[in-house]
Amino acid sequence: MKTGNVEIGRRFERFQAACRKAGVKLTHQRLEIFREIAGSSEHPDAETVYRGVRARVPTVSLDTVYRTLWLLDGLGLITTLGPRRESVRFDPNLAHHHHFLCVQCGRAMDFESPDLNALSIPASVKKFGSVLATHVEVRGVCAACAKETVAGRTNVTGRPRRKPSKL
Amino acid sequence: MKTGNVEIGRRFERFQAACRKAGVKLTHQRLEIFREIAGSSEHPDAETVYRGVRARVPTVSLDTVYRTLWLLDGLGLITTLGPRRESVRFDPNLAHHHHFLCVQCGRAMDFESPDLNALSIPASVKKFGSVLATHVEVRGVCAACAKETVAGRTNVTGRPRRKPSKL
DNA sequence: TTAGGTGCAAATTCTTTGCACCCTG
DNA sequence: CAGGGTGCAAAGAATTTGCACCTAA
């Protein structure tokens, strides 16, 4: 899975511009960590990124990778898969349904929609494997969090609090 | 968020039938753990289920909750949100895209689809909060895993291996 | 210069495992 | 009665934090 050079270049520009705008420093480590992730269409975890970066910057620390990854996430330069920095959650609702996920507190709400149940998946997906289920994931900020977010701080720092806001 | 009694009853029957069919014992703890999760439309994590069950069965242990939850998952009685027992993964692809998630190995593949990008979300979702993004999550078994799964063992035991199959 | 970044090591939290005893089928 | 299931305590992993030194702007 390779990503075109043109696209990678674009991602770098976006990165540098975002750093400037957000007033965060453009360090060697950040550059290399970004390079590591921007160049792949894999969905690496922190450990994997760490291993890759260490090949070029032997002194980086795993926690810098974590901080940078969350920084990039905060800057909107990358996203995460699934629930955000929360552990696995279980869902007893076996009816076909969909989720609204709050990106602040991690809360998940169910909703139903016959239209969405009837989604047709592009044929190209079949080449990945056999399909068991399909659902729509909507991300946003839930009403409760929107209210709390007084001054719109976005915590771009890459230093998350351990429990963002346990439900 | 409450779930109707009829539906709960149905879930219990399904549970007992599934246990019988899979040949796993129907213990007091399992019943109570199932009751705890079947009765809510929250999406609790293991810790939350544990607290709830402990109110009725003071001696349950957290690890029994974990085992039972994964057992229920293995039996197809509940599902999980997001990636399956994997840590957070990051995605550098900012283009609107969708995911195919392998339920065996956790690998995620991107795919694009103008049709899916154009999904219209039901108006009822707006009451949850503001929508930032929407994407489709397809779950299935990837080609690689399908090949490996020789005898179709589904690991219903609830005793997962620590690293199911690190990508 | 100087506030923001970094590396290190220790702390935390979340999960899983080993094992002896217990209970369902 | 037998083998799966359970609780406990300890091991392991994945993340985060405190802090003193370093460096981009």
Side-chain angles (χ1 to χ4, degrees), chain A residues 70-97:
Chain A
W70 287 119
L71 169 72
L72 294 173
D73 178 66
L75 292 174
L77 296 165
I78 63 177
T79 55
T80 58
L81 249 62
R84 297 168 58 89
R85 75 175 74 177
E86 286 287 321
S87 49
V88 190
R89 276 165 313 164
F90 300 85
D91 190 343
N93 182 359
L94 293 178
H96 197 160
H97 66 287

Side-chain angles (χ1 to χ4, degrees), chain A residues 20-79:
Chain A
R20 234 174 286 123
K21 190 163 63 164
V24 300
K25 290 178 182 170
L26 200 57
T27 64
H28 180 48
Q29 290 88 331
R30 287 180 175 169
L31 233 8
E32 291 304 325
I33 290 169
F34 185 70
R35 181 194 315 286
E36 187 63 27
I37 188 169
S40 81
S41 46
E42 303 293 314
H43 302 85
D45 57 11
E47 185 67 35
T48 303
V49 173
Y50 175 53
R51 278 197 299 272
V53 172
R54 208 171 29 172
R56 276 171 287 120
V57 188
T59 62
V60 279
S61 63
L62 176 57
D63 78 292
T64 293
V65 171
Y66 271 108
R67 286 182 291 213
T68 302
L69 251 15
W70 287 119
L71 169 72
L72 294 173
D73 178 66
L75 292 174
L77 296 165
I78 63 177
T79 55

Side-chain angles (χ1 to χ4, degrees), chain B residues 94-143:
Chain B
L94 293 179
H96 198 160
H97 65 287
H98 309 275
H99 291 128
F100 176 93
L101 266 140
C102 176
V103 299
Q104 306 257 297
C105 66
R107 219 180 309 245
M109 278 86 119
D110 290 355
F111 67 90
E112 314 210 347
S113 163
D115 287 355
L116 295 182
N117 293 351
L119 277 188
S120 64
I121 301 304
S124 62
V125 171
K126 288 210 199 76
K127 71 170 190 289
F128 292 135
S130 61
V131 171
L132 296 174
T134 292
H135 85 274
V136 175
E137 195 178 293
V138 175
R139 288 179 179 217
V141 177
C142 74

